[in-house]
Amino acid sequence: MPLLIAGSIATDHLMSFPGKFSDSLVVDQLDKLSVSFLVEDLEVRRGGCAANICFGLGNLGLRPVLVGAVGEDFADYRAWLERHNVDCDAVHVSPTRHTARFVCTNDSSMAQIASFYPGAMSESREIELKPIVDRVGEPDYVLIGPDDPQGMLRHTEECRQRGYRFVADPSQQLAFGDGDLIRQLVDGAEILFSNEYEAALITQKTGWTREEVLARVGTWVVTLGAEGVRIDSQGAPSIVVAAVPEIEKVEPTGVGDAFRAGFLAALDWGLTSERAAQLGCLLAVYVVEQVGTQEYTLSGDAFLERCTATYGSEATADFAPHLKTLRP
């Protein structure tokens, strides 16, 4: 069954600052903040959470359906995604707005300062899921990632009404959304994705305890950075999966998106949540080792060698039959 991935589609402008932001910030003067950083380089890359996740899924041999809104400047990006096995026929093209843009600066400690121009993304609220499902078939999951808030609410409500299993991944919208928005996006999700900081935002803004969140979702997957991943479900012990050691930490943008791609791919293959987290971590490490969210390539032999080194031969045996499309 297909995977529908709804969310942002954007161009990333990524810059690196050689120092630490914290050295230039005066805590008791933040209300008067006016500071600039001299960066060393600028990389312009393809991005957006939904597109990044689709790219990862396509590289693992699946054919995800991308759901989002773009501008007429999307043509080259569309061709790139289609070459990587992404179905882009459901993408809405705005006649008046540009494709969204993410501008991000990382410092030497991997702290980030970023801004996001939504552009055409605001038109995602005009997209209905049913015509897409009529074309591609009943979805295994609909992931609802960070997007125009009204679009996220529309997709979530449609999933509830039509009985589509959905994955809540509000991510960056948690910082701006109020408790009512977040409660509507989370309640009833088959899977909830967040990092550790976002998990705290969810409980703080919704007023729900961790246990109350777990009572409303099937599984809560919390990424822990270098500490790996924790998988929580109501009434079950937590599952903790270690991260894959990186060869060189270069740039963290898009790591979470790659993790989600690996996680969903493994579930689509019928594997356990633990295996899903392991595959997610394996794919994520390829992103952190370079600049850009869609610049990695996968070699089947090297990928499985890293799997064996971190998770053992049994995990490798579970993944190998599904990775035959990768080059050796």
Side-chain angles (χ1 to χ4, degrees):
M1 292 187 286
L3 292 168
L4 272 59
I5 309 298
S8 60
I9 305 166
T11 302
D12 291 346
H13 290 237
L14 308 176
M15 291 165 280
S16 298
F17 172 59
K20 292 184 178 181
F21 296 141
S22 58
D23 293 338
S24 301
L25 301 178
V26 180
V27 174
D28 61 358
Q29 295 293 313
L30 291 180
D31 60 326
K32 303 177 181 68
L33 182 65
S34 178
V35 63
S36 63
F37 301 96
L38 183 63
V39 299
E40 288 187 329
D41 59 288
L42 166 66
E43 298 278 353
V44 180
R45 304 288 183 177
R46 305 171 188 91
C49 293
N52 291 339
I53 295 170
C54 283
F55 179 84
L57 288 164
N59 271 273
L60 290 172
L62 287 84
R63 183 166 174 77
V65 180
L66 178 60
V67 180
V70 299
E72 292 182 342
D73 53 345
F74 180 64
D76 289 344
Y77 195 171
R78 178 185 184 122
W80 162 265
L81 289 171
E82 289 177 339
R83 288 200 306 274
H84 289 87
N85 212 31
V86 178
D87 180 338
C88 294
D89 288 349
V91 173
H92 167 85
V93 180
S94 169
T96 58
R97 294 181 172 95
H98 292 293
T99 301
R101 185 163 299 175
F102 175 65
V103 181
C104 178
T105 303
N106 299 295
D107 73 3
S108 59
S109 68
M110 293 295 169
Q112 292 184 330
I113 294 177
S115 14
F116 189 82
Y117 160 72
M121 193 178 80
S122 61
E123 296 182 20
S124 67
R125 65 186 67 182
E126 300 175 18
I127 300 171
E128 185 176 4
L129 299 178
K130 187 177 185 301
I132 303 170
V133 172
D134 288 344
R135 176 175 66 85
V136 302
E138 189 82 10
D140 197 354
Y141 293 102
V142 179
L143 181 139
I144 302 168
D147 203 343
D148 169 67
Q150 292 304 311
M152 296 170 73
L153 286 172
R154 175 175 182 174
H155 299 334
T156 303
E157 183 57 30
E158 186 176 354
C159 285
R160 291 194 189 98
Q161 290 177 351
R162 301 191 185 280
Y164 306 149
R165 294 194 299 177
F166 72 95
V167 178
D169 183 20
S171 190
Q172 294 99 327
Q173 291 293 9
L174 290 170
F176 308 103
D178 59 19
D180 183 58
L181 171 69
I182 297 167
R183 284 190 290 269
Q184 292 183 70
L185 295 176
V186 168
D187 199 9
E190 187 81 12
I191 301 168
L192 170 61
F193 281 122
S194 73
N195 61 32
E196 204 166 17
Y197 180 77
E198 291 164 352
L201 279 178
I202 290 170
T203 54
Q204 175 190 320
K205 290 195 171 187
T206 61
W208 293 336
T209 65
R210 173 180 172 275
E211 289 70 26
E212 287 173 326
V213 174
L214 291 174
R216 288 170 166 84
V217 302
T219 301
W220 191 355
V221 182
V222 182
T223 54
L224 309 172
E227 301 303 314
V229 182
R230 187 182 69 246
I231 304 170
D232 293 320
S233 299
Q234 188 179 35
S238 295
I239 299 170
V240 178
V241 171
V244 178
E246 68 269 1
I247 297 170
E248 180 185 10
K249 186 180 289 185
V250 176
E251 215 280 333
T253 304
V255 171
D257 299 332
F259 171 80
R260 287 150 173 75
F263 194 97
L264 291 175
L267 292 186
D268 196 66
W269 297 338
L271 302 181
T272 65
S273 293
E274 182 177 14
R275 287 285 186 259
Q278 291 169 346
L279 186 64
C281 290
L282 278 163
L283 194 62
V285 77
Y286 281 80
V287 176
V288 80
E289 291 174 346
Q290 61 207 312
V291 175
T293 60
Q294 299 179 26
E295 304 304 318
Y296 59 91
T297 57
L298 301 179
S299 159
D301 292 343
F303 191 82
L304 292 174
E305 285 173 9
R306 291 186 86 161
C307 177
T308 302
T310 307
Y311 302 122
S313 58
E314 290 186 5
T316 301
D318 286 343
F319 295 145
H322 304 284
L323 297 173
K324 293 178 180 178
T325 59
L326 297 185
R327 62 180 178 84

